[in-house]
Amino acid sequence: MKQFRLIVVLLSLAFGSKAQSPIANFSANQLVICVGESINFTNLTNYNSQSIISTNWNFGEGSTSNQESPTHTYTTAGVFGVILTVITSGGTDTEDKTAYITVNPLPSTNFTISGDNCNLPYTGVISNSSAA
């Protein structure tokens, strides 16, 4: 009986449950913004009861963060992918969402006024040559 227990212990050590890797996942509170606005990213990773070693974000335009659930401000227009890499005591996983965030440029306003600007009622012309 003691030999049987020893074999069971040895087998469980050799073939026992391995630590599970994390399953990286995240969301953002907005997917389309204007330049200068911020997005709150939420880390939805399943850590499988493993100890967190590091959380690394890449926001697609050169900025990074190691916060758990960061807020990021985009300063240039474009379409950006976001990558989250999570490292735990059980392994590593990466979630890569390509073309995930769209950052629109701020509108450019340009109005010109012609005519007699000092008298009311105004009888001049206001021209709008603004661009989106």
Side-chain angles (χ1 to χ4, degrees):
M1 187 67 166
K2 288 183 181 180
Q3 288 177 336
F4 177 73
R5 286 186 190 162
L6 179 61
I7 290 171
V8 170
V9 170
L10 290 174
L11 287 174
S12 67
L13 290 174
F15 300 104
S17 62
K18 289 185 175 180
Q20 290 185 329
S21 293
I23 302 169
N25 191 16
F26 64 89
S27 66
N29 69 324
Q30 300 181 84
L31 300 179
V32 179
I33 61 170
C34 286
V35 168
E37 292 182 337
S38 297
I39 295 179
N40 298 319
F41 291 92
T42 302
N43 186 342
L44 302 173
T45 297
N46 178 348
Y47 291 102
N48 290 315
S49 301
Q50 301 301 310
S51 299
I52 301 167
I53 295 172
S54 70
T55 303
N56 301 300
W57 295 83
N58 182 320
F59 300 110
E61 33 67 278
S63 297
T64 61
S65 174
N66 60 4
Q67 294 179 336
E68 178 72 16
S69 292
T71 297
H72 181 65
T73 303
Y74 284 87
T75 59
T76 56
V79 178
F80 304 101
V82 178
I83 301 169
L84 169 62
T85 300
V86 177
I87 302 171
T88 69
S89 56
T92 301
D93 192 35
T94 297
E95 177 70 11
D96 184 347
K97 295 184 180 184
T98 59
Y100 187 60
I101 302 294
T102 300
V103 182
N104 293 319
L106 294 173
S108 172
T109 58
N110 187 13
F111 293 92
T112 56
I113 300 173
S114 59
D116 186 1
N117 300 338
C118 294
N119 295 317
L120 293 176
Y122 176 71
T123 57
V125 176
I126 299 174
S127 300
N128 179 4
S129 57
S130 300

